[in-house]
Amino acid sequence: GSIADNTSGQFYGYRASKAALNAVGKSMAIDLKERGIAVGLIHPGLVDTDMTAAFPPEIKIPATKSIEGIIGRIQALSMDNTGTFWNAATGEVIPW
């Protein structure tokens, strides 16, 4: 979903759908902030699944690590960081 983090091209429809999803999430974060509702945008990491079978194993993470990261990002979610896009596996903020 990050345009700045696209270094390999390809996957046009997939990338466009993720960017659109993040645009909606960011807009929701702005609209819902006054109601006290925080919105988290979370990239689960390159999880080892059937969909990622073509990627080298050394760059993938197990689903359990992704889930732990997602839970951590949800626990850290606040009104101060609503609308932020994170990598669940590393906790790093991903640039738009």
Side-chain angles (χ1 to χ4, degrees):
S2 170
I3 294 169
D5 195 32
N6 178 357
T7 59
S8 62
Q10 303 179 4
F11 311 109
Y12 307 119
Y14 180 80
R15 290 183 187 282
S17 70
K18 296 304 176 189
L21 179 64
N22 284 339
V24 168
K26 178 65 175 176
S27 293
M28 288 178 68
I30 292 166
D31 294 340
L32 295 173
K33 190 170 187 173
E34 66 185 38
R35 293 172 51 188
I37 300 171
V39 176
L41 302 149
I42 304 170
H43 170 37
L46 187 60
V47 181
D48 188 9
T49 66
D50 290 344
M51 185 176 140
T52 63
F55 291 93
E58 63 272 8
I59 67 170
K60 296 186 281 187
I61 62 170
T64 52
K65 181 173 181 178
S66 176
I67 292 165
E68 290 169 1
I70 291 168
I71 291 169
R73 297 288 35 99
I74 291 169
Q75 290 173 334
L77 186 59
S78 70
M79 296 313 300
D80 291 331
N81 60 26
T82 186
T84 301
F85 184 29
W86 289 291
N87 181 311
T90 65
E92 295 175 2
V93 173
I94 300 173
W96 293 111

